[in-house]
Amino acid sequence: MSNADIRGRFIWHELLTTDTTAAAAFYPRAVPWRTQPSSMPGYTIWMAGQSQVGGLMALPPEAAGTPPHWLIYVGTPNVDATAEHAQRLGARVLKPATDIPNVGRFAVLADPQGATFALYTPGPSGGAVPAPGPGVFSWHELATTDVAGALRFYGELFGWTKGQGHDMGAMGVYQIFERFGSMVGGMCNVQGPATPPSWLSYVQVADSGRAVAAAQSAGGRLLHGPVEVPGGSWIALFMDPQGGAFAVQEPPRAAAAKPASPPAKPAAAPAPKPAAASAPAAAAKKPAAARKPAKKKAAKKKAAKKKPAKKKPARKAAKKKVARRKTAKKSARKGAKRSTARRHR
């Protein structure tokens, strides 16, 4: 990698803390890291798999009173020239340019709003950045008192450009910044006047929920999350047991794990599942069952109509019998009268 390619790239991340032994025990429980000794006394390397992702060291004596914190190292082809340029833009040099034998050259600055960061020019064999994956730093966030001013400062220094902005309501706009067209971080307003401007680094994890549980069980304090953010990632913010702030980022979850959203327009009906198909089949049987009583009712009505028809001849015969009886009675009466009349004669 040439020095021209490293401009504006986040190359290294370093934890300066009050208890390196405790920190070395905490972080491998919270994120997928392990520790490895370095060639420099008192300096420990953070490893993600086979890749070096950062370092761990005690806060130097000159930083007495400074709380534990993570320091980001941003690449530049020439530390000295970039430090001078930064001062012209309003930055302060906290540690002048210094060589690290067989490693590279660096300087520590505070930007115009007060956030601390480091410039870094790696040696011939340095500057390699691990591929994205679990345990690798995946996002960088600046909390500042002047988002627009910070964007101008870092843009001139490292060539970062303004990306999309997300309106966060009362919290203001979360401003994305890009490097060569790719999103690499965001800038936002500090939350509260007592909060100093600072950089926050995110470590990629496979499961933010598990990272939260692990960090808390190891003595970390959860500040926010896990929560889904624009783009589908899940994040959580912590304070380690010594007071250093860090965050984790879970990549967007698989679409299959999320509830399906309704399509904007009606799509072709999917093939029904067996359970779904059996319900219409059961419903189709109900009308057939309902038809049987209807047939019985119709049969009863027909039978009812036929019965009176059968009774009609019987009624006529009965009427004829009655008529015959009446006729017979009348004839009998007439005969009786005639016989009586004959007797009287």
Side-chain angles (χ1 to χ4, degrees), residues 33-50:
W33 288 350
R34 61 184 175 86
T35 58
Q36 178 175 290
S38 74
S39 58
M40 296 181 292
Y43 200 88
T44 301
I45 303 295
W46 297 116
M47 300 289 296
Q50 299 303 311

Side-chain angles (χ1 to χ4, degrees), residues 7-24:
R7 184 185 179 219
R9 182 189 290 272
F10 292 92
I11 296 180
W12 195 248
H13 303 77
E14 189 174 84
L15 174 62
L16 295 94
T17 185
T18 54
D19 190 339
T20 56
T21 302

Side-chain angles (χ1 to χ4, degrees), residues 144-241:
T144 180
T145 54
D146 185 355
V147 172
L151 190 63
R152 286 192 300 271
F153 170 78
Y154 287 102
E156 288 195 37
L157 213 60
F158 301 125
W160 295 342
T161 56
K162 182 178 181 180
Q164 185 178 3
H166 297 277
D167 189 353
M168 306 297 287
M171 297 172 65
V173 174
Y174 188 90
Q175 181 60 59
I176 302 294
F177 62 91
E178 302 176 345
R179 179 178 182 269
F180 298 149
S182 297
M183 296 186 296
V184 292
M187 298 181 183
C188 60
N189 294 325
V190 293
Q191 301 304 306
T195 305
S198 61
W199 279 96
L200 178 68
S201 298
Y202 289 71
V203 180
Q204 183 177 326
V205 295
D207 188 320
S208 57
R210 289 182 182 178
V212 166
Q216 289 181 311
S217 67
R221 183 160 63 93
L222 180 65
L223 303 178
H224 181 64
V227 62
E228 187 175 11
V229 296
S233 294
W234 288 75
I235 64 168
L237 280 60
F238 299 91
M239 195 77 79
D240 69 27

Side-chain angles (χ1 to χ4, degrees), residues 240-336:
D240 69 27
Q242 288 70 51
F246 75 105
V248 295
Q249 179 187 29
E250 174 189 344
R253 295 171 183 174
K258 296 182 179 181
S261 56
K265 294 182 180 180
K273 297 179 182 179
S278 63
K285 291 178 181 177
K286 290 181 180 178
R291 288 191 195 108
K292 291 180 180 179
K295 288 181 178 179
K296 289 180 179 179
K297 288 181 181 180
K300 287 180 180 178
K301 287 181 179 180
K302 289 181 180 179
K305 289 179 181 179
K306 289 179 181 178
K307 284 178 182 178
K310 290 179 181 179
K311 289 179 181 179
K312 283 182 181 180
R315 287 176 184 173
K316 288 180 180 181
K319 286 180 179 180
K320 287 179 179 180
K321 287 180 181 179
V322 172
R324 287 172 187 169
R325 287 174 186 172
K326 288 181 179 181
T327 303
K329 286 180 181 181
K330 287 180 181 181
S331 300
R333 287 175 186 170
K334 287 180 180 180

